[in-house]
């Protein structure tokens, strides 16, 4: 079955960096657009970044533009999220998701989800 496994979360001070990874299995990875979303306690799931199957198109949420970078390695079935200049408001559980169609920013349009990884940014 399809599995998406996130890793790389943790506790970091404001201004620091983290790199999240999401390893996919059970699907033809190169055929899927991939997205990163996050959810803080009491808040709705929020779009963070998305990348097309080829990596040629990338989209970012307004709150992370210029600080986060999404990338993928189709040979390793992995998508990454480089997070720089982290802020306390970036604290959330981060999820990766896969979509068999064109890249999108709406969570409900994604087909598969990982379990999430916690990112905590201290002030």
């Amino acid at each position: 079955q399809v599995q998406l496994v996130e890793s790389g979360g943790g506790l970091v001070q404001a201004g620091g960096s983290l790199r999240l990874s999401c390893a996919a299995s059970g699907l033809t990875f190169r055929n899927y657009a991939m997205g990163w979303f996050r959810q803080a306690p009491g808040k709705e799931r929020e779009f963070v970044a998305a990348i097309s199957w080829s990596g040629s198109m990338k989209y970012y949420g307004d709150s992370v533009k210029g600080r986060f970078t999404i990338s993928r390695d189709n040979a390793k079935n992995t998508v990454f999220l480089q997070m720089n200049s982290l802020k306390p408001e970036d604290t959330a559980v981060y999820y990766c998701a896969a979509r068999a169609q064109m890249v999108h920013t709406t969570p409900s349009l994604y087909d598969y989800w990982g379990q999430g990884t916690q990112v905590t940014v201290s002030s």
Side-chain angles (χ1 to χ4, degrees), residues 25-88:
S25 60
L27 52 71
T28 305
F29 184 72
R30 65 180 180 273
N31 290 345
Y32 283 77
M34 299 297 295
W36 285 98
F37 298 81
R38 67 187 182 186
Q39 190 164 18
K43 294 188 176 181
E44 292 187 353
R45 194 161 293 191
E46 176 190 12
F47 169 71
V48 175
I51 187 168
S52 61
W53 65 270
S54 67
S56 62
M57 292 187 292
K58 301 177 183 181
Y59 300 89
Y60 296 94
D62 289 341
S63 61
V64 307
K65 280 180 183 175
R67 299 188 298 123
F68 290 10
T69 302
I70 189 171
S71 61
R72 66 189 294 161
D73 184 340
N74 285 347
K76 297 183 178 179
N77 289 1
T78 303
V79 62
F80 305 97
L81 185 68
Q82 178 66 42
M83 305 187 296
N84 298 330
S85 303
L86 283 161
K87 305 175 181 180

Side-chain angles (χ1 to χ4, degrees), residues 37-41 45 90-95 115-119:
F37 298 81
R38 67 187 182 186
Q39 190 164 18
R45 194 161 293 191
D90 294 318
T91 296
V93 177
Y94 283 71
Y95 299 89
Q115 293 298 309
T117 186
Q118 176 70 47
V119 171

